[in-house]
Short mmCIF file of all heavy atoms in Angstrom, two decimals:
data_model
loop_
_atom_site.label_atom_id
_atom_site.label_comp_id
_atom_site.label_asym_id
_atom_site.label_seq_id
_atom_site.Cartn_x
_atom_site.Cartn_y
_atom_site.Cartn_z
N MET A 1 0.87 -1.21 0.02
CA MET A 1 -0.02 0.06 -0.01
C MET A 1 0.87 1.24 0.07
O MET A 1 1.83 1.34 0.76
CB MET A 1 -0.94 -0.03 1.24
CG MET A 1 -1.85 1.19 1.34
SD MET A 1 -3.27 0.96 0.18
CE MET A 1 -4.12 -0.40 1.03
N ASN A 2 0.60 2.13 -0.88
CA ASN A 2 1.27 3.48 -0.91
C ASN A 2 0.46 4.56 -0.44
O ASN A 2 -0.71 4.54 -0.56
CB ASN A 2 1.70 3.78 -2.37
CG ASN A 2 2.47 2.69 -3.03
OD1 ASN A 2 3.62 2.51 -2.80
ND2 ASN A 2 1.88 1.87 -3.99
N GLN A 3 1.09 5.48 0.27
CA GLN A 3 0.38 6.66 0.77
C GLN A 3 1.09 7.95 0.18
O GLN A 3 2.31 8.10 0.31
CB GLN A 3 0.49 6.72 2.23
CG GLN A 3 -0.80 6.21 2.95
CD GLN A 3 -0.72 6.43 4.37
OE1 GLN A 3 0.33 6.57 4.99
NE2 GLN A 3 -1.92 6.47 4.99
N VAL A 4 0.26 8.87 -0.34
CA VAL A 4 0.85 10.11 -0.76
C VAL A 4 -0.01 11.31 -0.24
O VAL A 4 -1.13 11.16 0.09
CB VAL A 4 0.92 10.25 -2.22
CG1 VAL A 4 1.97 9.34 -2.87
CG2 VAL A 4 -0.48 10.00 -2.92
N LYS A 5 0.63 12.45 -0.13
CA LYS A 5 -0.09 13.70 0.17
C LYS A 5 0.22 14.72 -0.80
O LYS A 5 1.52 14.92 -1.12
CB LYS A 5 0.28 14.11 1.59
CG LYS A 5 -0.46 15.36 2.05
CD LYS A 5 -0.21 15.65 3.48
CE LYS A 5 -1.11 16.85 3.94
NZ LYS A 5 -0.95 17.11 5.40
N TYR A 6 -0.68 15.37 -1.43
CA TYR A 6 -0.50 16.29 -2.44
C TYR A 6 -1.13 17.70 -1.99
O TYR A 6 -2.17 17.66 -1.44
CB TYR A 6 -1.07 16.07 -3.73
CG TYR A 6 -0.49 14.73 -4.36
CD1 TYR A 6 -1.53 13.88 -4.90
CD2 TYR A 6 0.75 14.53 -4.55
CE1 TYR A 6 -1.00 12.57 -5.59
CE2 TYR A 6 1.26 13.31 -5.08
CZ TYR A 6 0.37 12.43 -5.69
OH TYR A 6 0.75 11.32 -6.27
N GLU A 7 -0.44 18.81 -2.32
CA GLU A 7 -1.00 20.07 -2.19
C GLU A 7 -1.78 20.38 -3.44
O GLU A 7 -1.33 20.28 -4.61
CB GLU A 7 0.01 21.21 -2.03
CG GLU A 7 0.49 21.38 -0.64
CD GLU A 7 1.58 22.45 -0.63
OE1 GLU A 7 1.11 23.66 -0.87
OE2 GLU A 7 2.68 22.31 -0.42
N ILE A 8 -3.14 20.89 -3.28
CA ILE A 8 -3.99 21.26 -4.44
C ILE A 8 -4.53 22.58 -4.11
O ILE A 8 -5.48 22.75 -3.39
CB ILE A 8 -5.05 20.13 -4.55
CG1 ILE A 8 -4.38 18.84 -4.81
CG2 ILE A 8 -6.00 20.58 -5.70
CD1 ILE A 8 -5.43 17.76 -5.11
N PRO A 9 -3.91 23.72 -4.63
CA PRO A 9 -4.26 25.10 -4.35
C PRO A 9 -5.76 25.34 -4.76
O PRO A 9 -6.29 26.24 -4.23
CB PRO A 9 -3.31 25.84 -5.15
CG PRO A 9 -2.10 25.02 -5.35
CD PRO A 9 -2.61 23.61 -5.42
N ASN A 10 -6.19 24.67 -5.77
CA ASN A 10 -7.69 24.87 -6.38
C ASN A 10 -8.73 24.55 -5.38
O ASN A 10 -9.91 24.82 -5.58
CB ASN A 10 -7.83 24.25 -7.61
CG ASN A 10 -7.19 24.90 -8.81
OD1 ASN A 10 -6.66 26.02 -8.55
ND2 ASN A 10 -7.39 24.33 -9.94
N ILE A 11 -8.46 23.76 -4.32
CA ILE A 11 -9.52 23.31 -3.27
C ILE A 11 -10.01 24.66 -2.58
O ILE A 11 -9.19 25.35 -1.86
CB ILE A 11 -9.01 22.45 -2.28
CG1 ILE A 11 -8.62 21.04 -2.91
CG2 ILE A 11 -10.03 22.09 -1.24
CD1 ILE A 11 -8.08 20.02 -1.97
N SER A 12 -11.36 25.04 -2.88
CA SER A 12 -11.84 26.19 -2.26
C SER A 12 -13.00 25.98 -1.47
O SER A 12 -13.47 26.88 -0.69
CB SER A 12 -12.05 27.26 -3.34
OG SER A 12 -12.98 26.74 -4.19
N CYS A 13 -13.74 24.82 -1.56
CA CYS A 13 -15.01 24.67 -0.80
C CYS A 13 -15.28 23.19 -0.71
O CYS A 13 -14.57 22.36 -1.15
CB CYS A 13 -16.18 25.40 -1.46
SG CYS A 13 -16.67 24.68 -3.04
N GLY A 14 -16.43 22.90 0.03
CA GLY A 14 -16.78 21.50 0.24
C GLY A 14 -17.04 20.80 -1.04
O GLY A 14 -16.92 19.55 -1.13
N HIS A 15 -17.53 21.50 -2.14
CA HIS A 15 -17.80 20.80 -3.34
C HIS A 15 -16.47 20.34 -3.94
O HIS A 15 -16.48 19.20 -4.50
CB HIS A 15 -18.41 21.77 -4.37
CG HIS A 15 -19.95 21.88 -4.28
ND1 HIS A 15 -20.51 23.01 -3.88
CD2 HIS A 15 -20.95 21.03 -4.27
CE1 HIS A 15 -21.82 22.87 -3.76
NE2 HIS A 15 -22.07 21.55 -3.97
N CYS A 16 -15.52 21.06 -3.87
CA CYS A 16 -14.15 20.56 -4.32
C CYS A 16 -13.71 19.38 -3.65
O CYS A 16 -13.21 18.41 -4.25
CB CYS A 16 -13.07 21.69 -4.07
SG CYS A 16 -13.40 23.29 -4.85
N VAL A 17 -13.88 19.32 -2.31
CA VAL A 17 -13.43 18.17 -1.47
C VAL A 17 -14.32 16.92 -1.95
O VAL A 17 -13.67 15.85 -2.23
CB VAL A 17 -13.78 18.40 -0.01
CG1 VAL A 17 -13.76 17.29 0.82
CG2 VAL A 17 -12.78 19.54 0.54
N ASN A 18 -15.61 17.15 -2.13
CA ASN A 18 -16.38 16.04 -2.56
C ASN A 18 -15.96 15.54 -4.00
O ASN A 18 -15.85 14.31 -4.10
CB ASN A 18 -17.89 16.49 -2.61
CG ASN A 18 -18.68 15.99 -1.56
OD1 ASN A 18 -18.37 14.90 -1.06
ND2 ASN A 18 -19.67 16.68 -1.19
N SER A 19 -15.85 16.43 -4.96
CA SER A 19 -15.41 16.09 -6.23
C SER A 19 -14.21 15.19 -6.25
O SER A 19 -14.11 14.20 -6.97
CB SER A 19 -15.26 17.30 -7.17
OG SER A 19 -16.44 18.02 -7.18
N ILE A 20 -13.15 15.69 -5.61
CA ILE A 20 -11.94 15.04 -5.51
C ILE A 20 -12.09 13.67 -4.96
O ILE A 20 -11.63 12.73 -5.48
CB ILE A 20 -10.80 15.91 -4.75
CG1 ILE A 20 -10.57 17.14 -5.60
CG2 ILE A 20 -9.69 15.10 -4.40
CD1 ILE A 20 -9.76 18.13 -4.86
N GLN A 21 -12.80 13.60 -3.85
CA GLN A 21 -12.95 12.28 -3.17
C GLN A 21 -13.69 11.29 -4.08
O GLN A 21 -13.26 10.11 -4.17
CB GLN A 21 -13.64 12.44 -1.82
CG GLN A 21 -12.67 13.23 -0.87
CD GLN A 21 -13.23 13.32 0.43
OE1 GLN A 21 -12.38 13.57 1.49
NE2 GLN A 21 -14.55 13.11 0.75
N VAL A 22 -14.72 11.72 -4.79
CA VAL A 22 -15.61 10.89 -5.60
C VAL A 22 -14.76 10.47 -6.77
O VAL A 22 -14.68 9.24 -7.14
CB VAL A 22 -16.92 11.49 -6.05
CG1 VAL A 22 -17.57 10.85 -7.20
CG2 VAL A 22 -17.83 11.77 -4.92
N GLU A 23 -14.12 11.41 -7.48
CA GLU A 23 -13.42 11.05 -8.71
C GLU A 23 -12.15 10.16 -8.47
O GLU A 23 -11.98 9.18 -9.14
CB GLU A 23 -12.93 12.40 -9.41
CG GLU A 23 -14.08 13.28 -9.97
CD GLU A 23 -14.77 12.67 -11.10
OE1 GLU A 23 -14.17 11.80 -11.79
OE2 GLU A 23 -15.96 13.09 -11.40
N VAL A 24 -11.40 10.56 -7.50
CA VAL A 24 -10.15 9.80 -7.22
C VAL A 24 -10.44 8.41 -6.65
O VAL A 24 -9.89 7.42 -7.03
CB VAL A 24 -9.18 10.52 -6.32
CG1 VAL A 24 -7.92 9.76 -5.98
CG2 VAL A 24 -8.80 11.83 -7.01
N SER A 25 -11.60 8.28 -5.94
CA SER A 25 -11.91 7.01 -5.34
C SER A 25 -12.40 6.11 -6.51
O SER A 25 -12.28 4.82 -6.34
CB SER A 25 -13.15 7.13 -4.48
OG SER A 25 -12.76 7.79 -3.23
N SER A 26 -12.80 6.55 -7.63
CA SER A 26 -13.37 5.77 -8.71
C SER A 26 -12.12 5.03 -9.54
O SER A 26 -12.32 4.22 -10.26
CB SER A 26 -14.18 6.53 -9.66
OG SER A 26 -13.39 7.37 -10.43
N LEU A 27 -10.96 5.58 -9.24
CA LEU A 27 -9.79 4.93 -9.87
C LEU A 27 -9.48 3.58 -9.39
O LEU A 27 -9.38 3.41 -8.15
CB LEU A 27 -8.54 5.85 -9.71
CG LEU A 27 -8.29 7.03 -10.66
CD1 LEU A 27 -6.94 7.66 -10.21
CD2 LEU A 27 -8.21 6.59 -12.11
N PRO A 28 -9.31 2.51 -10.23
CA PRO A 28 -9.01 1.20 -9.78
C PRO A 28 -7.65 1.24 -9.01
O PRO A 28 -6.71 1.78 -9.49
CB PRO A 28 -8.94 0.35 -11.06
CG PRO A 28 -9.71 1.06 -12.12
CD PRO A 28 -9.47 2.60 -11.69
N GLY A 29 -7.69 0.63 -7.77
CA GLY A 29 -6.51 0.54 -7.02
C GLY A 29 -6.38 1.61 -5.95
O GLY A 29 -5.59 1.50 -5.04
N VAL A 30 -7.22 2.59 -5.98
CA VAL A 30 -7.29 3.66 -4.90
C VAL A 30 -8.16 3.17 -3.82
O VAL A 30 -9.37 2.78 -4.03
CB VAL A 30 -7.79 5.02 -5.46
CG1 VAL A 30 -8.08 5.91 -4.34
CG2 VAL A 30 -6.84 5.54 -6.38
N ASN A 31 -7.72 3.12 -2.60
CA ASN A 31 -8.40 2.62 -1.42
C ASN A 31 -8.84 3.65 -0.41
O ASN A 31 -9.79 3.34 0.36
CB ASN A 31 -7.51 1.59 -0.69
CG ASN A 31 -7.07 0.53 -1.57
OD1 ASN A 31 -7.95 -0.22 -2.11
ND2 ASN A 31 -5.74 0.21 -1.75
N GLY A 32 -8.27 4.81 -0.56
CA GLY A 32 -8.83 5.85 0.34
C GLY A 32 -8.40 7.19 -0.10
O GLY A 32 -7.31 7.37 -0.58
N VAL A 33 -9.29 8.19 0.06
CA VAL A 33 -9.02 9.55 -0.37
C VAL A 33 -9.51 10.51 0.74
O VAL A 33 -10.70 10.46 1.10
CB VAL A 33 -9.73 9.85 -1.67
CG1 VAL A 33 -9.32 11.27 -2.15
CG2 VAL A 33 -9.41 8.87 -2.81
N TRP A 34 -8.68 11.37 1.28
CA TRP A 34 -9.10 12.34 2.31
C TRP A 34 -8.57 13.72 1.77
O TRP A 34 -7.41 14.09 1.86
CB TRP A 34 -8.43 11.97 3.58
CG TRP A 34 -8.85 10.69 4.13
CD1 TRP A 34 -10.07 10.33 4.84
CD2 TRP A 34 -8.20 9.37 3.89
NE1 TRP A 34 -10.02 9.05 5.12
CE2 TRP A 34 -9.02 8.40 4.48
CE3 TRP A 34 -7.03 9.00 3.19
CZ2 TRP A 34 -8.62 7.06 4.45
CZ3 TRP A 34 -6.77 7.59 3.13
CH2 TRP A 34 -7.57 6.69 3.75
N ALA A 35 -9.56 14.49 1.30
CA ALA A 35 -9.32 15.86 0.96
C ALA A 35 -9.55 16.81 2.05
O ALA A 35 -10.50 16.61 2.81
CB ALA A 35 -10.02 16.26 -0.38
N ASN A 36 -8.82 17.86 2.11
CA ASN A 36 -8.96 18.83 3.22
C ASN A 36 -9.03 20.26 2.72
O ASN A 36 -8.11 20.72 2.03
CB ASN A 36 -7.83 18.62 4.25
CG ASN A 36 -8.02 19.47 5.54
OD1 ASN A 36 -8.16 20.64 5.44
ND2 ASN A 36 -8.02 18.72 6.67
N GLN A 37 -10.15 20.91 3.08
CA GLN A 37 -10.39 22.31 2.57
C GLN A 37 -9.45 23.25 3.20
O GLN A 37 -8.92 24.17 2.51
CB GLN A 37 -11.83 22.61 2.93
CG GLN A 37 -12.31 23.91 2.35
CD GLN A 37 -13.77 24.22 2.66
OE1 GLN A 37 -14.50 23.26 2.95
NE2 GLN A 37 -14.20 25.44 2.62
N GLU A 38 -9.18 23.11 4.58
CA GLU A 38 -8.36 24.01 5.26
C GLU A 38 -6.81 23.99 4.79
O GLU A 38 -6.26 25.05 4.61
CB GLU A 38 -8.33 23.79 6.72
CG GLU A 38 -9.54 24.55 7.49
CD GLU A 38 -10.84 23.75 7.16
OE1 GLU A 38 -10.90 22.55 7.24
OE2 GLU A 38 -11.85 24.46 6.82
N THR A 39 -6.37 22.85 4.62
CA THR A 39 -4.99 22.75 4.27
C THR A 39 -4.77 22.58 2.81
O THR A 39 -3.65 22.56 2.26
CB THR A 39 -4.35 21.42 4.86
OG1 THR A 39 -5.04 20.28 4.44
CG2 THR A 39 -4.43 21.47 6.43
N LYS A 40 -5.86 22.67 2.03
CA LYS A 40 -5.83 22.51 0.52
C LYS A 40 -4.97 21.42 0.12
O LYS A 40 -3.95 21.58 -0.64
CB LYS A 40 -5.34 23.88 -0.13
CG LYS A 40 -6.36 24.98 0.19
CD LYS A 40 -5.88 26.35 -0.50
CE LYS A 40 -6.78 27.47 -0.26
NZ LYS A 40 -8.20 27.30 -0.73
N SER A 41 -5.22 20.24 0.67
CA SER A 41 -4.37 19.10 0.39
C SER A 41 -5.18 17.80 0.35
O SER A 41 -6.36 17.81 0.70
CB SER A 41 -3.26 18.87 1.39
OG SER A 41 -3.89 18.60 2.66
N VAL A 42 -4.66 16.75 -0.21
CA VAL A 42 -5.35 15.46 -0.28
C VAL A 42 -4.39 14.39 0.10
O VAL A 42 -3.23 14.47 -0.37
CB VAL A 42 -6.03 15.23 -1.73
CG1 VAL A 42 -4.94 15.23 -2.76
CG2 VAL A 42 -6.85 14.01 -1.63
N GLU A 43 -4.85 13.43 0.88
CA GLU A 43 -4.06 12.20 1.19
C GLU A 43 -4.82 11.03 0.54
O GLU A 43 -5.92 10.93 0.56
CB GLU A 43 -4.00 11.99 2.72
CG GLU A 43 -3.10 13.06 3.43
CD GLU A 43 -3.03 12.79 4.91
OE1 GLU A 43 -2.48 11.72 5.20
OE2 GLU A 43 -3.47 13.63 5.68
N ILE A 44 -3.95 10.22 -0.07
CA ILE A 44 -4.46 9.14 -0.94
C ILE A 44 -3.71 7.87 -0.61
O ILE A 44 -2.53 7.83 -0.55
CB ILE A 44 -4.34 9.40 -2.42
CG1 ILE A 44 -5.12 10.70 -2.84
CG2 ILE A 44 -4.80 8.31 -3.28
CD1 ILE A 44 -4.78 11.35 -4.12
N GLU A 45 -4.49 6.73 -0.40
CA GLU A 45 -3.84 5.39 -0.32
C GLU A 45 -4.22 4.63 -1.54
O GLU A 45 -5.31 4.62 -1.87
CB GLU A 45 -4.53 4.71 0.96
CG GLU A 45 -3.68 4.99 2.29
CD GLU A 45 -4.36 4.18 3.44
OE1 GLU A 45 -5.05 3.17 3.10
OE2 GLU A 45 -4.01 4.50 4.62
N PHE A 46 -3.15 4.02 -2.10
CA PHE A 46 -3.37 3.33 -3.33
C PHE A 46 -2.38 2.09 -3.49
O PHE A 46 -1.45 2.00 -2.82
CB PHE A 46 -3.31 4.25 -4.52
CG PHE A 46 -1.85 4.73 -4.77
CD1 PHE A 46 -1.13 4.14 -5.73
CD2 PHE A 46 -1.36 5.89 -4.10
CE1 PHE A 46 0.18 4.55 -5.90
CE2 PHE A 46 -0.08 6.33 -4.30
CZ PHE A 46 0.73 5.66 -5.26
N GLU A 47 -2.85 1.24 -4.47
CA GLU A 47 -1.94 0.14 -4.78
C GLU A 47 -2.17 -0.09 -6.40
O GLU A 47 -3.06 0.58 -6.97
CB GLU A 47 -2.24 -1.06 -3.98
CG GLU A 47 -3.70 -1.55 -4.26
CD GLU A 47 -4.12 -2.62 -3.11
OE1 GLU A 47 -3.39 -2.84 -2.18
OE2 GLU A 47 -5.27 -3.05 -3.25
N LEU A 48 -1.47 -0.92 -6.97
CA LEU A 48 -1.60 -1.23 -8.40
C LEU A 48 -3.03 -1.64 -8.63
O LEU A 48 -3.63 -2.32 -7.82
CB LEU A 48 -0.64 -2.22 -8.85
CG LEU A 48 0.83 -1.77 -8.87
CD1 LEU A 48 1.70 -3.07 -9.13
CD2 LEU A 48 1.12 -0.72 -9.87
N PRO A 49 -3.62 -1.24 -9.78
CA PRO A 49 -2.98 -0.56 -10.93
C PRO A 49 -2.79 0.91 -10.82
O PRO A 49 -2.37 1.59 -11.74
CB PRO A 49 -3.84 -0.98 -12.12
CG PRO A 49 -5.30 -1.06 -11.54
CD PRO A 49 -4.95 -1.66 -10.12
N ALA A 50 -3.27 1.51 -9.64
CA ALA A 50 -3.13 2.98 -9.57
C ALA A 50 -1.77 3.38 -9.45
O ALA A 50 -0.84 2.47 -8.95
CB ALA A 50 -4.01 3.51 -8.39
N SER A 51 -1.33 4.54 -9.83
CA SER A 51 -0.01 5.08 -9.64
C SER A 51 -0.04 6.45 -9.41
O SER A 51 -1.09 7.13 -9.70
CB SER A 51 0.89 4.78 -10.90
OG SER A 51 0.36 5.57 -12.03
N GLU A 52 1.10 7.10 -8.99
CA GLU A 52 1.05 8.55 -8.79
C GLU A 52 0.69 9.29 -10.11
O GLU A 52 0.12 10.30 -10.18
CB GLU A 52 2.36 9.04 -8.27
CG GLU A 52 2.58 8.67 -6.86
CD GLU A 52 3.65 9.63 -6.14
OE1 GLU A 52 3.33 10.81 -6.07
OE2 GLU A 52 4.69 9.19 -5.73
N GLU A 53 1.15 8.68 -11.25
CA GLU A 53 0.98 9.26 -12.55
C GLU A 53 -0.49 9.26 -12.90
O GLU A 53 -0.96 10.31 -13.38
CB GLU A 53 1.78 8.44 -13.49
CG GLU A 53 2.01 9.11 -14.94
CD GLU A 53 2.81 8.24 -15.87
OE1 GLU A 53 3.19 7.16 -15.50
OE2 GLU A 53 2.91 8.68 -17.03
N THR A 54 -1.17 8.13 -12.74
CA THR A 54 -2.53 8.07 -13.08
C THR A 54 -3.40 9.06 -12.13
O THR A 54 -4.38 9.66 -12.56
CB THR A 54 -3.20 6.68 -13.02
OG1 THR A 54 -2.98 6.13 -11.71
CG2 THR A 54 -2.57 5.69 -14.00
N ILE A 55 -3.05 9.11 -10.93
CA ILE A 55 -3.77 9.97 -9.86
C ILE A 55 -3.54 11.40 -10.23
O ILE A 55 -4.51 12.17 -10.39
CB ILE A 55 -3.29 9.60 -8.41
CG1 ILE A 55 -3.74 8.20 -8.06
CG2 ILE A 55 -3.87 10.71 -7.46
CD1 ILE A 55 -3.13 7.73 -6.73
N LYS A 56 -2.26 11.79 -10.54
CA LYS A 56 -2.04 13.21 -10.87
C LYS A 56 -2.68 13.54 -12.17
O LYS A 56 -3.16 14.68 -12.33
CB LYS A 56 -0.50 13.49 -10.90
CG LYS A 56 0.16 13.55 -9.63
CD LYS A 56 1.56 13.81 -9.76
CE LYS A 56 2.34 13.89 -8.42
NZ LYS A 56 3.80 14.10 -8.65
N GLY A 57 -2.72 12.63 -13.10
CA GLY A 57 -3.31 12.86 -14.38
C GLY A 57 -4.81 13.20 -14.20
O GLY A 57 -5.31 14.01 -14.86
N LEU A 58 -5.44 12.30 -13.44
CA LEU A 58 -6.87 12.54 -13.22
C LEU A 58 -7.18 13.87 -12.43
O LEU A 58 -8.08 14.63 -12.91
CB LEU A 58 -7.46 11.38 -12.33
CG LEU A 58 -9.00 11.52 -11.85
CD1 LEU A 58 -9.80 11.43 -13.10
CD2 LEU A 58 -9.27 10.57 -10.85
N LEU A 59 -6.36 14.24 -11.53
CA LEU A 59 -6.60 15.43 -10.77
C LEU A 59 -6.41 16.62 -11.69
O LEU A 59 -7.17 17.59 -11.64
CB LEU A 59 -5.54 15.50 -9.56
CG LEU A 59 -5.89 14.63 -8.39
CD1 LEU A 59 -4.78 14.60 -7.44
CD2 LEU A 59 -7.14 15.16 -7.73
N GLU A 60 -5.47 16.49 -12.56
CA GLU A 60 -5.37 17.59 -13.64
C GLU A 60 -6.48 17.68 -14.52
O GLU A 60 -7.02 18.77 -14.81
CB GLU A 60 -4.05 17.33 -14.38
CG GLU A 60 -3.68 18.55 -15.19
CD GLU A 60 -2.19 18.58 -15.64
OE1 GLU A 60 -1.31 17.93 -14.93
OE2 GLU A 60 -1.94 19.11 -16.74
N LYS A 61 -6.97 16.56 -14.92
CA LYS A 61 -8.16 16.54 -15.81
C LYS A 61 -9.42 17.15 -15.22
O LYS A 61 -10.15 17.74 -15.99
CB LYS A 61 -8.42 15.05 -16.26
CG LYS A 61 -9.21 14.85 -17.39
CD LYS A 61 -9.44 13.37 -17.72
CE LYS A 61 -10.76 12.83 -17.42
NZ LYS A 61 -10.94 11.37 -17.49
N ILE A 62 -9.61 16.95 -13.90
CA ILE A 62 -10.85 17.50 -13.33
C ILE A 62 -10.56 18.88 -12.68
O ILE A 62 -11.29 19.37 -11.88
CB ILE A 62 -11.36 16.49 -12.20
CG1 ILE A 62 -10.41 16.33 -11.07
CG2 ILE A 62 -11.70 15.10 -12.88
CD1 ILE A 62 -11.01 15.56 -9.89
N ASN A 63 -9.49 19.47 -13.15
CA ASN A 63 -9.12 20.86 -12.77
C ASN A 63 -8.59 21.00 -11.36
O ASN A 63 -8.80 22.22 -10.68
CB ASN A 63 -10.38 21.76 -12.99
CG ASN A 63 -10.09 22.61 -14.20
OD1 ASN A 63 -9.05 23.08 -14.50
ND2 ASN A 63 -11.22 22.74 -14.97
N TYR A 64 -8.00 20.05 -10.77
CA TYR A 64 -7.37 20.22 -9.43
C TYR A 64 -5.95 19.67 -9.53
O TYR A 64 -5.53 18.73 -8.93
CB TYR A 64 -8.07 19.38 -8.39
CG TYR A 64 -9.53 19.92 -8.16
CD1 TYR A 64 -10.59 19.27 -8.58
CD2 TYR A 64 -9.69 21.16 -7.38
CE1 TYR A 64 -11.89 19.77 -8.35
CE2 TYR A 64 -10.96 21.65 -7.24
CZ TYR A 64 -12.01 20.95 -7.75
OH TYR A 64 -13.26 21.44 -7.47
N PRO A 65 -5.11 20.48 -10.30
CA PRO A 65 -3.75 20.03 -10.48
C PRO A 65 -2.97 20.08 -9.14
O PRO A 65 -3.19 20.95 -8.33
CB PRO A 65 -3.16 21.03 -11.56
CG PRO A 65 -4.02 22.20 -11.51
CD PRO A 65 -5.41 21.67 -11.02
N VAL A 66 -2.00 19.09 -9.04
CA VAL A 66 -1.13 19.05 -7.89
C VAL A 66 -0.04 20.17 -8.02
O VAL A 66 0.49 20.34 -8.99
CB VAL A 66 -0.50 17.64 -7.80
CG1 VAL A 66 0.49 17.56 -6.75
CG2 VAL A 66 -1.62 16.60 -7.59
N LYS A 67 0.17 20.79 -6.86
CA LYS A 67 1.34 21.79 -6.80
C LYS A 67 2.63 21.00 -6.61
O LYS A 67 2.72 20.32 -5.75
CB LYS A 67 1.12 22.72 -5.64
CG LYS A 67 2.07 23.84 -5.52
CD LYS A 67 1.86 24.73 -4.31
CE LYS A 67 2.96 25.66 -4.12
NZ LYS A 67 2.75 26.37 -2.83
N GLU A 68 3.44 21.30 -7.62
CA GLU A 68 4.76 20.54 -7.48
C GLU A 68 5.81 21.31 -6.81
O GLU A 68 5.85 22.49 -6.83
CB GLU A 68 5.28 20.18 -8.98
CG GLU A 68 4.31 19.40 -9.79
CD GLU A 68 4.27 17.94 -9.39
OE1 GLU A 68 5.04 17.55 -8.45
OE2 GLU A 68 3.53 17.10 -9.87
CU1 CU B 1 -15.15 24.16 -4.37
#
């Protein structure tokens, strides 16, 4: 099991938190998603076939790019 935490500056309200949790949870291999409005960040637990690449790609596609 892998755990990552990303900063996502675009998180601005509860809808953002919900969207991120729903969308990222739908990726095969993702086991947990915790987005936080106050810290503008998301913690994700995942295993194969998910990867940081597929997760970051999805976040970018739904308009919540990860701050590098
Ligand atoms: Cu929002």
Side-chain angles (χ1 to χ4, degrees):
M1 183 77 68
N2 302 288
Q3 262 190 335
V4 289
K5 183 172 183 179
Y6 299 135
E7 274 184 67
I8 302 184
N10 280 359
I11 295 178
S12 59
C13 71
H15 279 119
C16 300
V17 167
N18 254 330
S19 301
I20 289 169
Q21 291 183 162
V22 168
E23 295 286 340
V24 177
S25 293
S26 76
L27 276 180
V30 171
N31 298 307
V33 182
W34 298 272
N36 188 302
Q37 186 180 338
E38 273 73 48
T39 59
K40 296 184 186 294
S41 66
V42 61
E43 291 183 59
I44 301 166
E45 275 186 13
F46 68 96
E47 59 197 5
L48 289 173
S51 66
E52 288 206 63
E53 196 180 359
T54 59
I55 292 168
K56 286 182 181 176
L58 173 67
L59 285 167
E60 189 161 335
K61 195 176 106 189
I62 63 171
N63 256 321
Y64 295 104
V66 171
K67 183 181 176 187
E68 300 286 356

